[in-house]
Amino acid sequence: MFDGPFDVFALIIAIIAFLIAIKASSQATELRRRLSSLEEKFYAQRQVQQPPPLLPAQVQPEAPATAAAAEPPPLAPEAEAAPPPLVTEEASPPSLEASTAGDAPPPLPTPAPVSREPGFEERLGTRWVVWIGGLALALGGFFMVRYSIEAGLVGPGVRVFLGGLFAAALLAAGEWTRRKESISNIAALPIANIPAILTAAGTAVAFATIYAAYALYGFLVPATAFVLLGIVAMGTLAAALLHGPALAGLGVVGAFVTPLLVSSGKPDYWALYIYLAIVTAASFGLARIRLWRWLAVTTIVFAVLWVFPGLDTSDLQVAPHAFHVIAGFVLAALLVVCGFMFGPTIEDGEIEPVSSSSLGAYLFGAMLIVLSSAHADLALIAFTLLIGGTLFVAWRAPAATGALGAAAATVFIVFAEWAVRANPDMLVLPGGPMPGVGPVATDSSVTLHLVMAAIFAAGFGVAGFLAQGRSNSAIIPMVWSAAGVATPIAILVALYARIAHLDRSIPFAILAVLLAAAFGAATEALMRREERPGVATSIALFATGTLGALALALTFALEKGWLTIALALMSLGTAWISLQRPIPVLRRLAAIFAAIVTARIAYDPRIVGDAVGTTPIFNWLLWGYGLPAASFWGASIFLRRHGDDAPLRVVEAAAILFTALLAFMEIRHLATGGDMISPPSLLEFALQVCVALAMAIGLERLRLRSGSIVHNVGAVVLTVIAGLISLFGLFILENPLIWRIDVGGAVFNLLLLGYALPAVLMLLLSYAVVGARGKVYANTIAGGALLFALAYVTLEIRRFYHGPILSTGPTTGAEQYTYSIGWLAFGVVLLGVGILVNSERARLASAVVIALTILKAFVIDMSTLTGVYRALSFMCLGIVLVAIGWLYQRILFRRQVTSPPAPQTSP
């Protein structure tokens, strides 16, 4: 079959080649498997760091024929020159690719470019130069006009023409540069935009030119000036929409400053305020379109500042000033207040600061006009219109609810200033009608003020009641109710001060009762309504208004001192209402009433001046201090049921203060016979020490139950006060041994009240603080008790020898001997008490007294006594000392004789 050896070798080579091919094929398969495994691991690691690139099969499915025929987008030269990448692996099946792409993590965000802070040179060349240049252009136009006027270079017509030409040139330059920048590749800096600054300078010059043509030279009638200024304002608005906030800021500032730079000798306020109204409208419109709050705030500030010119002059022009604030108020309501007319939108129930402050700013301006014009009728009418407008806008737009506070405050200021203006004596003299001082209640201005007061009280009160339940926010009805309660009460007080001169007035008391009835009816009506946000707080406010009106009724119907009592009762009533309605604001309100009453007594501690009365105890001090003290103690009990906080501590402090002042003032009234300015006496100091110590004992007991820090501090303060009065009053200023003072009878005298009773009270106080305070504190008080007791014994012995005047007459030997015997007897009594009740403190006090007796015997008796008194003194001292030693040995420290121990026996 084989033709030769060549064929045999060929067959062998073929078999070997086949075997080698099979082996190579198997090795290639193994290498491919390993390579695939390595690539899967590599791609898995890269997926953690960044997403894998998608293959064409993963980007999109097979495109249709029409899409395949579409021309691809042109490539960049670099892309065309680059060769296509080589693909060494076959594409995975679509299902595997899809699952892999789905399991891959999302791509990491691209890192933001690193921002570079501009240097000084860049700021100087790109920003500051542009700003200063634009300002210089505008000022250059203004000053050129002024210079031409002062030097008389050109006539008025030429000045106006040149000003208009300069303004047109600036505007054209601004527009040309804006178009150039918009088609170039250079982006303008947002805060140094050259086109915007050029346009702003041109706008300001245009404003100044038109205003000068109208107000200075009379070239334009008011209608023409109004139209031209409106055109410039609208042009400014349109240009700012294109150029951004730089033009808006510079244009508005330039427009408001223009009347200062281009002015005349006799100002025309109508022209000024018409011009400012147009500028304000343009600025508010731009702020509304671009939602620039800063622009609206800047405009409001400049507009309010322009109210001040002319207010300090005697010939105040009320009409143009009133037009200015009314026009600004209307524009702010239309364009600035959120949720009203053309203002921005806002969520329901939210108070927006700019909306509220814009209305409040113009109310402030209207108030200034009223005060500066001495309450002229036109100013009052304008003010009333703005108050009514505030209520209307706040009713329709909750974002402006904050303006209610400004409205209520300005109303009170207007009426309060009216009352003080008519009654300047109220600031320096006590209340009451004085003939010939101030106008009477029949003046013509009173009628208008009474009508305004009725309108304001009814408007705020009715709106505050009807606003409840209209909002889903709690703060809205709370503000309405607060304004509705506070404004009528404030107006009533101002009218009372103006018409009744702070004297008794039954008509005003009737008005206060009617107001209290209205507040009470509102409280009952709100309590029957369903629960809504803020209604609970409003109920509490109306209830507090009821108490306040009733307190005013008492004040108006009774004497002036009842105002203190009425305010204290308001604190008690508010605390009780807070118990029914646990609202934090009521607790603070009770504390505020307590603080007001405290400030009231600081102004006049006698409450009613000289009309205190001469009857001891039962006089005006009892009502003026006793009723407030009882009210504050009751209020503290109500407030403590809901926790210990700052309002409770204020009320507790007021309760302690009024209780102490009641005692001290009544003591002074009793000691001086009603003459509250007389110098103090021994009786007054003695009673004050006793009362202070008794109150300290009561507070020490009370603080253990209440745990109040006010009771704790109050007890310490009263103890310190008692110690100071004892030291400086009883031992120095009114010491009967030093000064000529009549102490009274033999036993029941001032010594018993001033020294014996304080000793007993100090002893009780020392036992009250044992274990509750430091040992040094208790021992100090006990030492004071011992000092007072020894002083009483000494002074009583001197009273026996010298009569009621202790500071006169010589000291005899019998008197010196009696002092020693009295001190020894006192020491023995203390020792006996210490033994009976097992009191170490009493025994130590006895040791102190006996030691003083021994010292006296060897220092004084030995040198001053003679004869039998010296012998008796030492004999008695020796007998007492021996007896004391025997008592200590036989009774206190008796040795117990113990028998020897029995011997132990071994088991």
Side-chain angles (χ1 to χ4, degrees), residues 311 316 318 367-377 379-380 417-418 421 445 449:
L311 292 182
L316 172 62
V318 178
M367 180 195 70
L368 292 180
I369 297 173
V370 172
L371 301 183
S372 300
S373 64
H375 294 251
D377 293 348
L380 289 175
E417 194 272 345
W418 176 62
R421 180 189 294 271
S445 63
H449 283 81

Side-chain angles (χ1 to χ4, degrees), residues 807-887:
S807 59
T808 59
T811 302
T812 62
E815 183 180 349
Q816 285 288 359
Y817 173 71
T818 308
Y819 288 142
S820 299
I821 296 301
W823 288 11
L824 278 175
F826 180 54
V828 170
V829 170
L830 289 177
L831 180 60
V833 173
I835 293 173
L836 291 177
V837 300
N838 194 20
S839 173
E840 181 183 3
R841 184 181 298 176
R843 295 194 299 268
L844 291 177
S846 171
V848 172
V849 173
I850 293 177
L852 289 175
T853 306
I854 296 172
L855 181 64
K856 177 182 178 300
F858 284 93
V859 174
I860 298 177
D861 294 353
M862 185 176 292
S863 60
T864 59
L865 295 180
T866 60
V868 67
Y869 289 115
R870 178 188 296 178
L872 290 176
S873 175
F874 279 90
M875 289 172 61
C876 292
L877 177 62
I879 293 172
V880 170
L881 293 179
V882 172
I884 291 173
W886 180 83
L887 289 174

